């Protein structure tokens, strides 16, 4: 009796399982769907860049010496012509005094040469008179004439020595003036590289003492855009960006320049896109990393579908050979997929604009097939796995 009950139970369980799978197969295909929506689509290119001042001036020194005084510090506002640092002028003052003495010596030599020339001219005049009366030989007259010509040349040499000494004095004056470091622009000191007592050497290249940003209310972003996207970037396009310091704020900018010089790093080619930004509150600081979104196109109030709907194909359907413009989506009609041809437009990477096609807002479009029966259909809409 018990054995019979067990056999009957097994038979009933087997029958229930067969009925369950028959009913499941009878129920047909299951799909994951999503509604067609209406709204805005923004096509954009993303990139990263660095916030910089529009004009940055490196202030250095053309003379070597010890820093005697510093009149500004980090973030100090400066004016054009303002004294910002001084190099010890003692050596240059001594050189200028020596140059002035050389000028005075050259002028004294010139006066001496003028006096000698005047004396030789008087001697020549007397010798000519004596020679005319036969009191001196011809050789004495010739010697007097030679002395006049020689002394005239010495006067010219003395004049040249004055000019040479004056030029050396100007160089000494200039070097002394260079010991006063002057700001060349109006702006803000963003970097100071020296301290009082430090020795700077300007023998081979000009050392940088200060970095001055001319106007921090006007900034620019140097964004690195991939070569595959650079063809879509145009001057005047709007830009949204954020920085890590203010993650909740979206800043606005505009593309001002697309530079043609390539930047190659590890065989990756990018191009520098310059974005002009207003910074009235001085929140943006030089060197900040910016996450940039360059707005390519904006479409308002359009029909849009998920990109997955454009990739889905039932297992018995073949993918059409058309390009981007001729595509299809599928809706469910009488529990079966129904093909609808559409023309697509702008895409933001997740949603795509439907330009033409028999789709209405609120309709359900198929994204993928569900269930074991439709694994093949899913594989048609997904790329193969890579092992």
């Amino acid at each position: 009796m018990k054995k019979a009950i067990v056999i009957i139970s097994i038979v009933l369980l087997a029958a229930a399982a067969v009925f369950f799978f028959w009913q499941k197969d009878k129920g047909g295909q299951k799909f994951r769907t999503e509604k067609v929506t209406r709204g805005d689509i923004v096509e954009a290119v993303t990139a990263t860049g660095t916030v910089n001042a529009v004009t940055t001036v490196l202030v250095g020194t053309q003379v070597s010496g010890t820093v005697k005084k510093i009149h500004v510090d980090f973030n100090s506002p400066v004016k054009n012509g303002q004294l910002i640092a001084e190099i010890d002028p003692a050596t240059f003052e001594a050189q200028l005094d020596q140059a002035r003495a050389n000028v005075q010596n050259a002028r004294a030599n010139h006066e001496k040469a003028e006096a000698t020339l005047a004396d030789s001219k008087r001697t020549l005049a007397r010798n000519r008179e004596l020679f005319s009366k036969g009191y001196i030989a011809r050789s004495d007259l010739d010697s007097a004439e030679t002395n006049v010509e020689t002394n005239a040349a010495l006067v010219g040499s003395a004049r040249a020595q004055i000019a040479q000494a004056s030029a050396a004095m100007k160089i000494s004056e200039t070097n002394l003036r260079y010991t006063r470091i002057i700001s060349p622009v109006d702006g803000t000191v963003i970097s100071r590289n020296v301290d009082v007592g430090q020795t700077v050497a300007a023998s081979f290249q000009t050392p940088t003492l200060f970095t001055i940003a001319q106007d921090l209310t006007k900034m620019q972003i140097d964004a690195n855009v991939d070569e595959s996207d650079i063809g879509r970037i145009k001057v005047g396009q709007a830009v949204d960006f954020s920085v890590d310091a203010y993650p909740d704020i979206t800043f606005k900018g505009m593309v001002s320049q697309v530079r043609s010089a390539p930047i190659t790093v590890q065989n990756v080619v990018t191009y520098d896109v310059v974005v002009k930004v207003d910074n009235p509150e001085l929140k943006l600081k030089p060197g900040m990393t910016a996450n940039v979104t360059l707005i390519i196109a904006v479409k308002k109030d359009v029909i849009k579908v998920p990109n997955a709907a454009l990739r889905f194909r039932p297992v018995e359907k073949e993918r059409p050979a058309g390009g981007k413009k001729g595509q299809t989506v599928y809706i469910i009609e009488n529990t079966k997929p129904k093909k609808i041809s559409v023309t697509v437009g702008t895409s933001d990477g997740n949603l795509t604009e439907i330009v033409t096609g028999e789709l209405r807002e609120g309709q359900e479009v198929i994204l993928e097939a569900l269930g074991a029966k439709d694994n093949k259909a899913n594989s048609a809409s997904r790329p193969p796995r890579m092992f």
Side-chain angles (χ1 to χ4, degrees):
M1 183 68 181
K2 291 182 179 180
K3 185 177 181 180
I5 292 174
V6 171
I7 293 174
I8 293 173
S9 300
I10 292 173
V11 171
L12 290 176
L13 287 173
V18 170
F19 178 78
F20 172 78
F21 285 108
W22 178 77
Q23 287 293 335
K24 179 180 180 182
D25 183 71
K26 184 178 178 181
Q29 227 171 340
K30 303 296 182 182
F31 301 99
R32 184 167 71 90
T33 63
E34 191 167 322
K35 288 185 179 182
V36 177
T37 59
R38 179 181 292 275
D40 301 339
I41 287 185
V42 179
E43 182 180 0
V45 170
T46 59
T48 58
T50 305
V51 178
N52 296 310
V54 175
T55 303
T56 302
V57 180
L58 304 179
V59 181
T61 175
Q62 293 183 270
V63 295
S64 302
T66 303
V67 178
K68 184 178 180 181
K69 293 181 180 179
I70 295 178
H71 300 283
V72 296
D73 203 347
F74 291 91
N75 300 331
S76 296
V78 294
K79 297 293 184 180
N80 185 7
Q82 178 180 337
L83 179 65
I84 58 178
E86 296 180 58
I87 293 176
D88 189 357
T91 301
F92 301 97
E93 288 173 348
Q95 291 175 355
L96 178 57
D97 292 339
Q98 182 179 2
R100 286 171 177 166
N102 291 336
V103 171
Q104 293 175 359
N105 184 52
R107 287 173 179 169
N109 289 335
H110 176 260
E111 292 175 359
K112 179 180 177 180
E114 289 282 3
T116 302
L117 176 61
D119 181 64
S120 62
K121 287 181 178 180
R122 290 192 295 267
T123 301
L124 176 60
R126 288 195 303 268
N127 286 352
R128 282 176 178 171
E129 184 178 354
L130 294 173
F131 178 75
S132 64
K133 295 179 180 181
Y135 294 146
I136 62 173
R138 179 69 185 184
S139 59
D140 294 334
L141 178 61
D142 292 341
S143 296
E145 290 176 349
T146 301
N147 289 337
V148 171
E149 293 173 357
T150 301
N151 291 328
L154 291 175
V155 170
S157 176
R159 291 197 187 102
Q161 289 176 359
I162 292 175
Q164 185 177 8
S166 298
M169 185 178 69
K170 288 182 179 179
I171 293 176
S172 297
E173 290 175 343
T174 301
N175 288 337
L176 179 60
R177 188 167 62 251
Y178 283 156
T179 61
R180 294 169 55 86
I181 310 302
I182 304 299
S183 173
V185 295
D186 295 343
T188 304
V189 177
I190 61 175
S191 175
R192 177 173 65 82
N193 303 321
V194 292
D195 293 307
V196 173
Q198 183 175 341
T199 300
V200 292
S203 31
F204 297 105
Q205 61 182 3
T206 302
T208 300
L209 307 184
F210 302 92
T211 302
I212 298 177
Q214 187 168 359
D215 184 5
L216 291 180
T217 62
K218 303 289 183 181
M219 305 290 282
Q220 72 178 34
I221 299 174
D222 293 296
N224 296 322
V225 177
D226 191 82
E227 61 177 324
S228 61
D229 297 321
I230 196 65
R232 296 188 288 166
I233 308 301
K234 307 295 180 185
V235 174
Q237 288 175 338
V239 176
D240 294 341
F241 69 95
S242 63
V243 294
D244 293 340
Y246 307 101
D248 298 330
I249 300 177
T250 300
F251 298 91
K252 302 291 183 180
M254 185 185 70
V255 175
S256 65
Q257 190 178 46
V258 180
R259 295 179 178 171
S260 299
I263 302 171
T264 304
V265 178
Q266 296 182 349
N267 295 326
V268 177
V269 180
T270 59
Y271 292 87
D272 187 9
V273 175
V274 180
V275 179
K276 290 294 180 67
V277 180
D278 290 331
N279 188 31
E281 299 179 2
L282 302 180
K283 289 184 176 180
L284 300 175
K285 301 184 183 301
M288 284 184 169
T289 300
N291 302 309
V292 181
T293 301
L294 300 106
I295 309 301
I296 306 300
V298 178
K299 295 296 183 68
K300 299 287 188 181
D301 194 32
V302 296
I303 295 292
K304 52 187 181 180
V305 298
N307 289 354
L310 298 169
R311 296 191 296 266
F312 172 78
R313 297 292 181 273
V315 67
E316 69 275 8
K317 301 292 182 180
E318 293 184 359
R319 184 178 297 274
K324 174 183 176 183
K325 294 300 181 183
Q327 295 203 23
T328 58
V329 296
Y330 288 83
I331 63 173
I332 298 177
E333 187 175 275
N334 297 326
T335 70
K336 293 182 178 180
K338 177 184 177 182
K339 173 182 175 181
I340 296 181
S341 297
V342 295
T343 302
V344 300
T346 300
S347 175
D348 63 2
N350 296 317
L351 300 172
T352 298
E353 172 195 9
I354 301 299
V355 180
T356 60
E358 297 179 359
L359 278 181
R360 300 184 307 276
E361 181 181 359
Q363 280 185 308
E364 299 277 351
V365 290
I366 300 175
L367 303 185
E368 63 175 344
L370 303 175
K373 177 180 177 180
D374 300 304
N375 284 337
K376 293 182 180 180
N378 284 335
S379 65
S381 62
R382 291 197 302 263
R385 291 183 179 181
M386 302 298 294
F387 292 91

